[in-house]
Amino acid sequence: MKKIRSNSIEQTTPLLRWVSEGQIEEIHFATLEVLERTGVKVDHPEALQLLKDAGCIVNENRVRIPSWLVEECIRLAPSKIVVANRKGNRVMPLEKNRTYFGTGSDLPYTIDLETGKRRRSTKNDVELACRVMDYLPNYDFVMSYAIASDTSSKVSDLHQLEAMVSNTIKPMIVTAHDEINMRAQLEMAALVVGGKEELRKNPFLILYSEPISPLVHTNDGVGKMFASFEYGVPVVYTPGILSGATTPVTKAGTIVLMNAEALAGVVMAQLKQKGAPIIIGGGATPMDMRTTATLYGSPETMMNYAIMTQLSQFYGIPNFTEAGCVNSPVPDAQAGMEAGNGILMAQLMGANLVHDVGYLEGGKTGSLTFLTMCNDFMDNARYMGRGTRIDEETMAVDVIDEVGPGGNYVSHEHTFKHFREEVWTPKQFNRSFWEIWEEQGSKSMEDNAEELAKEIVANHTSEPLNETIRQGLNEIIAETDKAKATSRRKK
Amino acid sequence: MSSLNDLAELVISGNYNGAKELTQRLIDNGTEPLEIINQGLMAGMNVVGVRFKAGDMFVPEVMMSAKAMSTGIELVKPLIADRDMPSAGTVLIGTVKGDLHDIGKKLVVMMMESAGFKVIDLGVDISPEAFVEAVKEHKPQAIGMSALLTTTMLSMRDTIEALEEEGLRDSVKIVIGGAPISQSFAEEIGADGYAPDAAAATDLCKKLIA
Ligand code: B12
C-alpha cells in the first residue's frame, strides 16, 4: 500500500505569476474607467447600432461603454475555444494555462535558404514555411510567415491561405485585406473541410483582426470579425501597438489601453452574437527611441505579455501574445537570447496562442533557418514547463542505497529507465567536445538549423488536398480577383 | 549675443517655456527677428539633429526640442514678412491609399518640421487623385509617400503616373519610405529617392530641394 502524507500539496508544473491578483484588479478597474470615460471610436455602422441599443452613450462615432456592460460581456465570452486541424481533429483547445506556439504572418522579406541573400517574399516562401512547420513538432499552429508578394496584390491573402492549407494540416491563423476577402477565405475554408456545417463544428482557422491604437475600431477590422462569427470561426481581435507612440510609454499604461481596446472588441462580439469565440491580448511592443524600430524581442514585451496573460486568465478569455520574434536581423546570439526569453516566459505563464515565432528584424524578415532553430527553443521551454517530478521513484533513495558510496549510476537500470525524461536532448544545439565538433565540420547552431531546414524542404510534404478542392480554391481566388478588378475600375 | 546661445541651449534641452520667455525678451530688446531664428532657435535645432543622428539624443527629446523651437518661431513670425521667413521648402506628405499605418509618417513629419520644412500632412489612405489635388493647391517642392504594406506600395506608382498625366511630375521631387520600400523599388517606379528612417528622410529632402 502507498504511504500517504497529510497536508501535502503537489506542484507538478512551475508557477509563475508576474503581479498579484489585486494588481490585476487595479488594471481591470482602470480599463473600465477608460471605456466609460474616454470611450472608443467605432466606424462600423452595425456595431455602432448594437452598442447604442445595449445602453452605451453614443456621440456620432464616439462610444462610451458602461462598466456593467463590459463585465456582462466578459461573462458571456467563452473561456474555452476549441480549434481543430484541417482533418477535423480537435487538437488545440484554448483553455486557461494551455500554451500553443506558431509563427506570425506577412513578412515582406525573406533570407533565401539557398543563396543566403535577403529578398522580397513570395508565395513559395509561404509554402515552404508551412511545410517546415508541418514537420516540426513544436509548432502547434501556423500563420503565413511570408507575404505572397508575387501574386495579385488584391487577393494575395487568399493566395496565402491556399498555400497554407495545401502545405500543412495544422490549425492556422489568417489575416485578410478586408471583409470581402475574409468572406472569400471563409468560403475557401468551408470548401476544404467539406462544407460550412463542418467548419462550424470544427473550425481549423482563426481570423486575426485588429483595432487601431489608440481606441479606434475600423469598419474593416470589425467587419472581418463579424463575418467570421457568422461562420462560427474564432477571432483574435487585438491591437498591435508601439509604446511611446500609439500608447503611453509606461508598461502599465500600455496594458490598460490595449486591454480597453480588446475588451471593446469583446463587447461588440458578444452583442453581435452571444458566446462569440473571441480571443484577447495583442502585440505590446515599445518603440526604440533611438532607431524608431518596433521592439519585438525586448524585455518590456515579455513583461507586458506576462501581465496580459494573467489578465486573460482573470477574465476567463483565451489570449494571444507573441514570443520567439526578435530584432536581430540574423539568427545570431542576440536572436537566441531574445527568442529564448520570450518563449520560456510564454510557456511558464501559460499564454494560449503564442505567435510570431521565427520573426527576424522586428517583424520584417523571415528565415527558414531561424524558424527551424526556434523549434529547439520551444522544446527547451516546454521541457522546463513540464516541471520537476518529485516522488519516491525520482528521489531514488533505494537506488542511492544500492549503489552506495563510490559506485556509479551510468549502468544502473534506474538511469536507463529515466534518462530520456530527466535529461533534455536537443536536435540542433552543439554539445560535442571541441575536437569532435571540429571533425564534424565546426558547424554553428545556425549551420545545423540550416541543414535541418534543407532536409525538411527536400523530404517532407504534408497530406495533400484533393484535386477538386484545389481547383475550387483557385476558382474562388480567380473570382474574387476579377470582382475586385471591376469594382476598382468603376471608381 | 550670449542670450542667443542661451536660446539655442533651451531648444536643445527641450525647455519650451524657457524658450518662449527668452524669445519674447529678445524681441523686446530689439534683437533682429531673423537673428533670433537663425542664431537661436534653428541653431539649437541643428545641434539636436546632429546629436540624434549620433545616437546621443532620443526621439521624445527631439520632439520636445522641436516644440521649444516652434513656440519661439510662433512669436517671431508676425514680425517677419512672409517671403523673408526662412524655410527649407514645402513638403506634402501622406500614407498611400488603402494603408492606415501612420506612426512612421508622423515621425518623418515632425523631423522635417524641426529641420525647417513646412510640411503639409494629408493623413492616411490618400489616393493618387488626392495627392494630385493637393499638389495643385499647395505647390510643394517635394512629395513624401509612406506605405507599410506590400499591397499598397503599388499605389505610389499610380500616384507618380497621375502626376505625370497632369503635367505636374517635374514640378516636384518625390521621396518614398516605409517597411517594404527599398532603393531599388524607388528607382523602379521613378521616384527621386528613398530613405530608411526619419532622419535620413529629412537629409534626403534637403539634398533634393537644395
Ligand atoms: C504598428 C503596426 C500596425 C498598426 C498601425 C498603427 C498606426 N497608427 O500606424 C496596426 C495594428 C493598425 C496595423 C495594422 C495592419 N498591419 Co501592421 N504593423 C505595425 C508594425 C508592428 C509597426 C509599424 C510602425 O509603426 N513602425 C514604427 C515606425 C516608426 O517605423 P516605420 O513605419 O517603418 O517608419 C519609419 C521608416 O519606414 C521611414 N518612413 C516611413 N514613412 C516614410 C515616408 C517617407 C516619405 C520616407 C522618406 C520615409 C518613411 O521613417 C520612419 C521613421 O523612422 C509593423 C511591423 C514593422 N516592424 O514595421 C506591422 C506591419 C507593417 N503590418 C503588417 C500588416 C500585415 C498589417 C495588417 C494587414 C494586419 C491585419 N491583420 O489586418 C493591418 C493593415 C491595416 C491597414 N489597412 O493599413 C505587416 C505588413 C506586411 C506588408 N509589407 O505587407 C507588418 C510588416 C507586420 C507583419 N510582418 O505582419 N499594423
Side-chain angles (χ1 to χ4, degrees):
Chain A
M1 203 176 67
K2 201 166 177 263
K3 286 180 229 119
I4 296 168
R5 273 189 87 227
S6 300
N7 295 314
S8 159
I9 298 173
E10 255 183 36
Q11 185 179 319
T12 50
T13 61
L15 216 166
L16 179 59
R17 286 291 164 264
W18 205 254
V19 292
S20 73
E21 187 87 355
Q23 288 171 294
I24 290 294
E25 276 168 8
E26 234 180 297
I27 293 173
H28 171 63
F29 291 130
T31 306
L32 292 180
E33 182 69 7
V34 169
L35 288 170
E36 206 171 88
R37 174 164 142 203
T38 310
V40 298
K41 189 166 165 254
V42 177
D43 292 333
H44 188 274
E46 186 192 352
L48 206 55
Q49 192 59 47
L50 287 168
L51 290 159
K52 205 173 193 168
D53 294 345
C56 296
I57 299 172
V58 178
N59 235 319
E60 288 184 10
N61 287 4
R62 187 72 166 270
V63 182
R64 289 172 171 86
I65 311 176
S67 300
W68 68 265
L69 181 62
V70 178
E71 294 195 316
E72 170 142 316
C73 290
I74 290 170
R75 276 189 292 275
L76 285 173
S79 62
K80 168 171 176 154
I81 297 172
V82 181
V83 184
N85 64 13
R86 199 183 81 196
K87 306 183 67 183
N89 302 323
R90 295 163 68 84
V91 290
M92 203 165 72
L94 306 179
E95 9 176 281
K96 187 174 174 180
N97 280 320
R98 288 200 187 278
T99 299
Y100 305 97
F101 292 106
T103 191
S105 69
D106 300 292
L107 292 172
Y109 297 101
T110 296
I111 300 176
D112 192 285
L113 187 60
E114 294 303 324
T115 65
K117 294 253 161 22
R118 181 179 184 256
R119 53 159 176 78
R120 215 167 269 293
S121 305
T122 65
K123 185 170 181 180
N124 186 240
D125 293 317
V126 181
E127 293 166 348
L128 293 182
C130 287
R131 266 164 63 195
V132 167
M133 288 183 286
D134 190 70
Y135 176 84
L136 293 170
N138 286 300
Y139 286 97
D140 302 293
F141 64 90
V142 307
M143 289 181 74
S144 74
Y145 199 51
I147 298 178
S149 53
D150 54 341
T151 63
S152 159
S153 67
K154 288 178 287 262
V155 288
S156 55
D157 50 346
L158 310 196
H159 279 284
Q160 286 171 198
L161 176 59
E162 196 266 338
M164 288 157 77
V165 289
S166 304
N167 289 283
T168 181
I169 64 164
K170 289 184 178 177
M172 51 192 66
I173 305 180
V174 300
T175 52
H177 296 340
D178 51 32
E179 187 179 332
I180 297 174
N181 284 21
M182 190 59 219
R183 287 187 183 275
Q185 290 196 43
L186 290 161
E187 288 300 324
M188 289 168 74
L191 186 67
V192 166
V193 293
K196 287 186 196 167
E197 216 28 60
E198 279 311 307
L199 182 62
R200 183 178 296 279
K201 265 197 280 180
N202 297 310
F204 73 95
L205 83 168
I206 300 172
L207 162 69
Y208 171 27
S209 180
E210 297 172 311
I212 298 192
S213 292
L215 303 167
V216 176
H217 300 272
T218 63
N219 192 33
D220 266 334
V222 177
K224 286 189 270 187
M225 166 162 75
F226 282 8
S228 300
F229 291 149
E230 283 172 28
Y231 285 75
V233 164
V235 177
V236 169
Y237 187 74
T238 64
I241 62 94
L242 281 175
S243 300
T246 64
T247 71
V249 73
T250 45
K251 296 180 195 69
T254 295
I255 293 168
V256 167
L257 185 64
M258 291 180 72
N259 196 36
E261 288 158 353
L263 290 187
V266 170
V267 172
M268 288 186 277
Q270 300 313 312
L271 293 177
K272 166 79 180 167
Q273 196 180 102
K274 241 184 223 181
I278 186 163
I279 297 156
I280 61 173
T285 44
M287 181 167 82
D288 185 81
M289 292 302 183
R290 230 185 327 223
T291 62
T292 72
T294 311
L295 296 180
Y296 276 84
S298 69
E300 302 83 21
T301 56
M302 297 152 204
M303 294 161 78
N304 289 343
Y305 297 144
I307 295 178
M308 290 164 75
T309 299
Q310 271 187 267
L311 263 176
S312 90
Q313 296 175 341
F314 170 76
Y315 293 137
I317 302 178
N319 81 325
F320 180 74
T321 72
E322 60 195 348
C325 40
V326 307
N327 281 96
S328 177
V330 289
D332 59 0
Q334 177 189 330
M337 170 80 183
E338 293 180 290
N341 260 354
I343 290 172
L344 180 61
M345 283 280 288
Q347 175 65 48
L348 296 185
M349 288 302 305
N352 291 129
L353 288 172
V354 184
H355 84 303
D356 285 352
V357 176
Y359 265 25
L360 291 171
E361 203 222 342
K364 288 197 281 194
T365 301
S367 139
L368 291 181
T369 300
F370 187 51
L371 197 67
T372 304
M373 204 184 257
C374 285
N375 189 63
D376 266 21
F377 301 163
M378 293 184 283
D379 208 63
N380 180 325
R382 286 194 149 137
Y383 181 81
M384 291 174 75
R386 254 174 245 131
T388 308
R389 190 178 140 197
I390 295 175
D391 56 25
E392 249 177 69
E393 175 71 14
T394 60
M395 287 191 294
V397 173
D398 290 344
V399 183
I400 293 170
D401 185 58
E402 206 180 295
V403 172
N408 81 68
Y409 295 87
V410 100
S411 55
H412 199 282
E413 179 87 43
H414 184 261
T415 308
F416 174 75
K417 194 166 154 204
H418 291 292
F419 82 96
R420 278 181 193 274
E421 277 140 55
E422 295 286 337
V423 185
W424 177 60
T425 306
K427 293 218 164 48
Q428 304 164 60
F429 281 63
N430 278 315
R431 286 173 160 183
S432 309
F433 298 115
W434 185 276
E435 293 76 9
I436 297 178
W437 172 71
E438 251 179 3
E439 223 175 270
Q440 292 174 342
S442 311
K443 287 181 208 148
S444 66
M445 183 188 188
E446 191 183 336
D447 297 329
N448 297 340
E450 185 185 315
E451 250 170 48
L452 179 54
K454 284 182 176 162
E455 219 176 280
I456 302 169
V457 166
N459 299 319
H460 177 76
T461 47
S462 184
E463 214 168 296
L465 279 180
N466 86 34
E467 208 30 56
T468 10
I469 293 180
R470 295 197 60 148
Q471 264 172 26
L473 295 178
N474 286 323
E475 273 161 29
I476 297 177
I477 297 177
E479 274 163 28
T480 313
D481 199 1
K482 222 169 91 193
K484 285 209 147 174
T486 3
S487 76
R488 199 145 114 180
R489 232 172 287 131
K490 263 189 261 155
K491 147 209 105 171
Chain B
M1 185 60 206
S2 81
S3 18
L4 284 172
N5 284 341
D6 291 347
L7 184 58
E9 277 308 320
L10 288 168
V11 169
I12 294 168
S13 60
N15 183 341
Y16 53 89
N17 284 326
K20 191 174 169 183
E21 270 169 37
L22 185 51
T23 305
Q24 191 59 54
R25 240 189 303 140
L26 288 166
I27 294 172
D28 297 344
N29 288 345
T31 312
E32 195 54 40
L34 275 178
E35 229 166 75
I36 299 180
I37 294 187
N38 290 330
Q39 285 159 48
L41 299 164
M42 284 299 260
M45 209 55 215
N46 288 339
V47 174
V48 170
V50 171
R51 290 198 186 162
F52 177 67
K53 245 202 278 172
D56 295 334
M57 275 180 87
F58 293 78
V59 173
E61 293 164 346
V62 177
M63 296 298 143
M64 246 356 124
S65 295
K67 186 170 172 181
M69 177 187 72
S70 51
T71 33
I73 287 188
E74 285 309 308
L75 292 176
V76 185
K77 218 172 169 179
L79 310 175
I80 305 176
D82 260 3
R83 69 190 142 77
D84 293 336
M85 194 61 200
S87 164
T90 304
V91 181
L92 194 75
I93 195 166
T95 300
V96 301
K97 191 170 163 42
D99 205 321
L100 303 175
H101 294 83
D102 68 351
I103 304 164
K105 183 210 65 189
K106 280 185 187 155
L107 283 170
V108 173
V109 171
M110 290 189 258
M111 211 59 90
M112 284 191 178
E113 280 177 344
S114 61
F117 286 98
K118 181 178 169 204
V119 185
I120 297 150
D121 185 355
L122 299 175
V124 296
D125 196 11
I126 305 302
S127 66
E129 297 76 30
F131 271 112
V132 168
E133 280 316 304
V135 170
K136 286 182 187 163
E137 190 189 333
H138 301 285
K139 306 197 171 34
Q141 277 86 47
I143 302 181
M145 286 187 275
S146 180
L148 273 274
L149 299 170
T150 319
T151 48
T152 58
M153 57 194 264
L154 294 172
S155 173
M156 293 178 164
R157 173 181 286 151
D158 297 345
T159 304
I160 294 179
E161 280 170 7
L163 287 166
E164 274 164 3
E165 275 167 30
E166 298 280 332
L168 295 167
R169 174 63 186 92
D170 295 333
S171 71
V172 289
K173 297 292 181 191
I174 297 178
V175 299
I176 60 175
I181 308 299
S182 61
Q183 182 59 39
S184 62
F185 181 71
E187 283 159 18
E188 192 186 314
I189 65 167
D192 296 304
Y194 153 81
D197 65 25
T202 309
D203 288 348
L204 177 65
C205 276
K206 275 191 191 151
K207 210 177 79 197
L208 287 173
I209 293 180

